[in-house]
Amino acid sequence: MRRLLIFLLCLMVFFIFKIPSGFSISGPCSECHTMHNSQNGQPVAENGSSTQPFRALTIGDCVFCHTGTNTGTNNIPYVNSNTQPTYTFGGARNTLAGGNFYWVQSDDTKGHNVVGIAGVDSNIGLVPPGYDPSNYPEFTKYRPSTWDHQLTCAGNFGCHGKFDANDPSLNDPFKAISGAHHKNIVRTNGTAPATEVWNSYRFLWGIKGTEDPNYELNPDTTHHNGYYASTSPTDPASINYLCGECHGVFHRDTYNGTYASPWLRHPTDFDMNTVAYKEYGNYPNPTLFSGKLGVSAVGDYFADVPVGNTQGAVLSKVLQSSGDAIVLCLSCHRAHGSPYPDLLRWDYSACQAGSPSADCGCLACHTSK
Ligand code: HEC
Ligand code: HEC
Ligand code: HEC
Ligand code: HEC
Ligand code: HEC
């Protein structure tokens, strides 16, 4: 009897923990694949007017499938749009957590210039600002020693999927991401292993965190991503490390000697609990941001000026304990693009010392400036 009970208990636990894998791709194969790219003698692939077949026999490339307008019911997350998305800092928008590539189509400064969306960045060129492939010598994950390709969605020269400087076949975004879509899980445990592309945060290989099931469409204090962060710039699973893979200098060389003020470059991987006695203890500045995305009191998580934590958890209250309010690259930037230069989350020109404005996100942390 007791054995039976234990067996039933194990079975229950198994199913409870098994459920997340049920979230992977559904729907008819033909919605996404074409076997020969031909039907009645006509091409099937729908990538604009293109008649070429695509890798993994899909009906289009990454950009094709991920272009559209988010309505809340679409099951492909749209990160690019051909009509201007709505976007209000601290308010309503139909863009997801990463923002949108729409703006970079016509202005190089407003997004990552990804192949198939925009040409090579006319100001920057190919190489990521701050690139230093030898910046992380203690790890075996390497980016190419010479950056001689335009940025792609995935692979050696892209953000998603696998990369390995010694394997040029991973220059191909489809190769780099192969198998991830069908195996995808919604990460609910921020520190669970991120060993493969499919179990990593948003197919960002090796990166941990908790995935908001709606990709932060309409976020508030309780509905948002949980960014995994660390107080060590060498932790390869943090969301800051991801940016550092390509912008290493901006990630690592932020200080001279002691990891404290006065800084050389804006700090990240820095826990605001250690300076909570200064103006940072007043994050997210309810005087300015009350009523925005559910913010009403000091310590409320403000999804438009996010901070990370060492559990990669979805916290609605921060500055409660050590390691729960870590500055991120994403505190200021969107990953894909925004209506503002440098992919910033808000209009930097609204930031004027002495005249506090709710259009300036810097003031969520610099609460007395
Ligand atoms: C909603 C879109 C979608 C549907 C529906 C879909 N697939 Fe896929 N499939 C993809 C994408 C995108 C890729 C390529 C990227 C990747 O491998 O992650 C892929 C890759 C594959 C691959 C190669 C990689 C792997 O996982 O082994 C196979 C095989 C495959 N699909 C078979 C199928 C079959 C069979 C069906 C129907 C039962 C199906 N797919 C339905 C989107 C879809
Ligand atoms: C795989 C490499 C790669 C990763 C990872 C990466 N970037 Fe970039 N980034 C680039 C390249 C290449 C450029 C220069 C060309 C361009 O603008 O796309 C760039 C440009 C930028 C720019 C300047 C854009 C402009 O036009 O002025 C910002 C800001 C930026 N990245 C922020 C980030 C942040 C934040 C992250 C982490 C979420 C990140 N990047 C991750 C490759 C990368
Ligand atoms: C045939 C359509 C199709 C193609 C082609 C496609 N995707 Fe997707 N993608 C999807 C769908 C559908 C989902 C949602 C999967 C889910 O809910 O598990 C998705 C989800 C994603 C996600 C979110 C994963 C997560 O953990 O939340 C990323 C990142 C992504 N795709 C990147 C890519 C990249 C990079 C490529 C090109 C190599 C690509 N996709 C090609 C249909 C496509
Ligand atoms: C997520 C919170 C956060 C945001 C958003 C933020 N900062 Fe900071 N900033 C900090 C923290 C924390 C420090 C380190 C303070 C310390 O060490 O005393 C810092 C340091 C600085 C410093 C250096 C101060 C020193 O003592 O060396 C400057 C200048 C600065 N920030 C300007 C800005 C500007 C401008 C913006 C907007 C573009 C901004 N910050 C946005 C949290 C933030
Ligand atoms: C406090 C807000 C803030 C944080 C945090 C932050 N950035 Fe920036 N970033 C900016 C601003 C503002 C600019 C515009 C240029 C400047 O002021 O230096 C910028 C510019 C950039 C550029 C463009 C540089 C160029 O040459 O055009 C890149 C790349 C970039 N940031 C990457 C990062 C990465 C990677 C991280 C995390 C390690 C990060 N940023 C963290 C605010 C921030």
Side-chain angles (χ1 to χ4, degrees):
M1 186 63 196
R2 232 178 72 191
R3 274 208 195 142
L4 187 72
L5 263 170
I6 291 172
F7 173 75
L8 284 175
L9 212 74
C10 289
L11 211 67
M12 257 169 69
V13 168
F14 175 77
F15 276 108
I16 288 169
F17 287 100
K18 190 102 184 76
I19 285 168
S21 60
F23 281 102
S24 55
I25 275 186
S26 57
C29 314
S30 61
E31 228 164 63
C32 303
H33 293 284
T34 168
M35 299 303 108
H36 311 289
N37 190 24
S38 184
Q39 213 156 54
N40 302 326
Q42 298 299 314
V44 184
E46 295 174 32
N47 211 39
S49 54
S50 168
T51 52
Q52 67 183 106
F54 292 91
R55 303 295 294 274
L57 321 187
T58 50
I59 55 166
D61 59 10
C62 321
V63 176
F64 171 78
C65 277
H66 288 281
T67 296
T69 302
N70 296 300
T71 58
T73 55
N74 46 296
N75 56 12
I76 302 184
Y78 294 132
V79 296
N80 183 42
S81 185
N82 291 327
T83 54
Q84 182 161 357
T86 56
Y87 183 100
T88 312
F89 172 66
R93 84 294 303 267
N94 60 14
T95 52
L96 306 178
N100 197 283
F101 288 107
Y102 169 80
W103 295 280
V104 79
Q105 293 176 20
S106 54
D107 183 339
D108 284 343
T109 70
K110 294 182 175 169
H112 273 116
N113 288 54
V114 170
V115 171
I117 295 176
V120 174
D121 191 306
S122 56
N123 308 307
I124 300 178
L126 296 176
V127 184
Y131 188 54
D132 180 357
S134 59
N135 212 310
Y136 302 97
E138 57 275 74
F139 297 106
T140 51
K141 291 168 64 177
Y142 284 110
R143 293 284 179 177
S145 55
T146 311
W147 194 281
D148 54 5
H149 284 55
Q150 192 186 340
L151 192 60
T152 48
C153 299
N156 286 336
F157 295 93
C159 293
H160 300 275
K162 285 217 154 139
F163 54 88
D164 175 352
N166 297 316
D167 182 357
S169 78
L170 290 173
N171 291 357
D172 171 14
F174 271 106
K175 172 85 192 284
I177 212 154
S178 186
H181 279 76
H182 285 281
K183 277 193 162 165
N184 186 27
I185 55 162
V186 175
R187 283 184 61 97
T188 53
N189 173 353
T191 53
T195 45
E196 303 295 330
V197 176
W198 56 267
N199 67 15
S200 296
Y201 178 81
R202 302 296 184 216
F203 298 168
L204 299 165
W205 186 41
I207 307 301
K208 295 177 179 171
T210 301
E211 299 176 333
D212 177 48
N214 297 320
Y215 308 88
E216 286 197 1
L217 182 68
N218 305 318
D220 59 29
T221 53
T222 50
H223 300 91
H224 54 83
N225 291 322
Y227 293 116
Y228 176 79
S230 166
T231 50
S232 161
T234 63
D235 182 338
S238 79
I239 194 75
N240 289 336
Y241 186 94
L242 170 83
C243 309
E245 286 169 16
C246 295
H247 302 291
V249 174
F250 298 178
H251 182 222
R252 217 165 186 174
D253 305 341
T254 56
Y255 65 107
N256 192 2
T258 41
Y259 203 64
S261 168
W263 299 89
L264 286 178
R265 289 193 174 85
H266 200 283
T268 50
D269 311 307
F270 184 72
D271 182 4
M272 296 211 290
N273 282 282
T274 62
V275 286
Y277 63 92
K278 300 187 193 172
E279 58 181 345
Y280 312 98
N282 203 26
Y283 168 94
N285 198 351
T287 316
L288 272 188
F289 297 110
S290 225
K292 308 228 175 234
L293 310 186
V295 166
S296 64
V298 166
D300 283 352
Y301 184 93
F302 184 21
D304 270 4
V305 187
V307 287
N309 64 76
T310 52
Q311 297 307 306
V314 177
L315 303 177
S316 54
K317 273 280 184 197
V318 301
L319 291 170
Q320 308 295 301
S321 61
S322 166
D324 73 358
I326 298 175
V327 182
L328 308 173
C329 308
L330 293 182
S331 297
C332 301
H333 294 285
R334 294 276 179 199
H336 297 143
S338 81
Y340 308 113
D342 291 301
L343 306 73
L344 286 174
R345 291 173 165 263
W346 55 84
D347 181 1
Y348 198 13
S349 68
C351 295
Q352 308 281 340
S355 53
S357 156
D359 293 329
C360 173
C362 309
L363 304 182
C365 301
H366 295 283
T367 59
S368 69
K369 297 294 184 294

